[in-house]
Amino acid sequence: MNVYSISEAAARYHIPESTIRYYEKKGLLPFIERDKAGRRLFSEDQMTLLGTIMCLKNTNMPISGIKQYVDWILEGESTLERRLKMMNDHRKAVLDEIALMTDSIDGIDYKIARYAKQIQERKHGKGE
Amino acid sequence: MNVYSISEAAARYHIPESTIRYYEKKGLLPFIERDKAGRRLFSEDQMTLLGTIMCLKNTNMPISGIKQYVDWILEGESTLERRLKMMNDHRKAVLDEIALMTDSIDGIDYKIARYAKQIQERKHGKGE
DNA sequence: GGTTGACTTCAACCATGGTTTAAGTCGTAT
DNA sequence: ATACGACTTAAACCATGGTTGAAGTCAACC
């Protein structure tokens, strides 16, 4: 079984090592082995978990929510339904957030159009 | 010219009054008049500005960025190009963020599919 | 004329999500 | 043997974006 150092994990997900240590301390990355010098060794499974954590983080799930999710994974099969519901609820929340952002872009586009027009008008007005 | 109270402004944009006071203190809402009892009176223009601020906030522009934008508005016509560029840059950043979220949803969907399958399998396995 | 409701100010407080710093350990290359 | 780079810990520090509390003012209703 291949293992990875913290710098490899950090590089793979484009995050600082300090963030990974912080996540471990918060309980998002349980059971990370160490080599005899005390350095973290990430298994393939833990890299995958970190990938999942990044998906959740990228979609603005709070640390506390991610922690709950990881705790349910550790608890085993009996939490499958809860995990499924959590992911489904989260998916919905993310789609809502994207919709809000998309709507807000319309307001921004309106500003862009107005500024572009005003700048054009000012150019044409020059020298008249 | 119609004017609005802070509670009307809060209701219109679904935010707490405390947030509006906070935004004013941060310089996002300049020149708000008061009645003789010291209560804020929002003009139609200021309500519109608050609407724009909410668009920027909903798309995760930091307060400092919104402040810069408002300062440029106050500075007048000479900042039109800068405002246009800012809105264009922001638009691009928002689209990138939406793309990242959309990609992350794929990871979540994968989990949803796996959990749904595992739950199904467990059901069928029961009683065998 | 007293109470109620909507507002005011200012400062203190809070959660979130990390980042930074200091001091130290280990393995390897010179 | 020593210097270097990669790593470790724990605690302190930081920015962001508000929220909350105390104490007070004012207009209007009973």
Side-chain angles (χ1 to χ4, degrees):
Chain A
M1 273 255 247
N2 202 3
V3 291
Y4 305 88
S5 68
I6 193 171
S7 58
E8 288 169 321
R12 179 135 139 199
Y13 294 106
H14 311 103
I15 52 176
E17 298 177 8
S18 63
T19 300
I20 295 178
R21 293 192 191 100
Y22 172 73
Y23 286 172
E24 188 195 16
K25 193 165 48 182
K26 286 287 176 174
L28 306 190
L29 294 166
F31 309 131
I32 299 205
E33 302 290 316
R34 310 291 167 122
D35 67 13
K36 68 178 183 176
R39 295 187 219 116
R40 288 167 183 81
L41 298 174
F42 294 77
S43 70
E44 202 60 73
D45 276 2
Q46 282 162 336
M47 292 291 268
T48 302
L49 177 57
L50 184 50
T52 302
I53 289 170
M54 293 313 293
C55 280
L56 298 177
K57 190 202 97 156
N58 288 339
T59 50
N60 304 316
M61 180 178 287
I63 300 282
S64 58
I66 301 176
K67 170 83 163 78
Q68 173 65 271
Y69 175 67
V70 171
D71 286 348
W72 277 337
I73 291 176
L74 297 182
E75 216 175 313
E77 262 207 329
S78 64
T79 63
L80 276 176
E81 283 86 354
R82 275 172 277 178
R83 281 182 263 164
L84 176 58
K85 177 174 184 337
M86 182 183 217
M87 290 299 110
N88 263 131
D89 289 352
H90 182 59
R91 180 180 204 282
K92 204 162 164 305
V94 176
L95 292 180
D96 285 353
E97 205 180 327
I98 290 177
L100 176 61
M101 295 179 83
T102 303
D103 286 353
S104 298
I105 286 184
D106 290 347
I108 292 166
D109 283 343
Y110 178 75
K111 287 288 168 188
I112 289 174
R114 262 180 41 93
Y115 288 145
K117 192 178 153 214
Q118 282 181 253
I119 288 169
Q120 273 310 311
E121 278 168 4
R122 207 178 46 183
K123 271 188 194 157
H124 287 280
K126 258 186 193 163
E128 278 185 8
Chain B
M1 273 254 249
N2 202 4
V3 292
Y4 305 89
S5 69
I6 194 171
S7 59
E8 288 168 322
R12 179 134 139 201
Y13 294 106
H14 310 103
I15 52 175
E17 300 178 7
S18 65
T19 300
I20 295 179
R21 294 193 189 100
Y22 172 74
Y23 286 173
E24 188 195 15
K25 192 164 50 182
K26 286 287 177 174
L28 306 191
L29 295 167
F31 308 132
I32 299 204
E33 302 290 316
R34 308 293 167 119
D35 67 11
K36 67 178 184 176
R39 293 187 219 116
R40 288 168 183 80
L41 297 175
F42 294 79
S43 69
E44 202 60 73
D45 276 3
Q46 281 163 336
M47 292 291 268
T48 303
L49 177 58
L50 184 50
T52 302
I53 290 170
M54 293 313 293
C55 279
L56 297 176
K57 191 202 97 157
N58 288 340
T59 50
N60 303 317
M61 182 180 286
I63 299 283
S64 58
I66 302 176
K67 171 82 164 81
Q68 173 66 270
Y69 175 67
V70 172
D71 285 348
W72 277 337
I73 291 176
L74 298 182
E75 216 175 312
E77 263 208 326
S78 64
T79 63
L80 276 176
E81 282 86 354
R82 273 172 278 177
R83 282 182 262 163
L84 176 58
K85 178 175 183 338
M86 183 184 217
M87 290 300 109
N88 262 130
D89 289 353
H90 182 58
R91 180 179 204 280
K92 205 164 163 305
V94 175
L95 292 180
D96 284 354
E97 206 181 325
I98 290 176
L100 176 60
M101 294 179 85
T102 302
D103 286 352
S104 297
I105 287 184
D106 290 346
I108 292 167
D109 282 344
Y110 178 74
K111 286 288 169 188
I112 290 175
R114 263 180 41 93
Y115 287 146
K117 192 177 154 214
Q118 281 182 256
I119 289 170
Q120 271 311 311
E121 278 169 3
R122 208 178 45 182
K123 269 188 196 157
H124 287 280
K126 258 187 193 160
E128 275 185 13

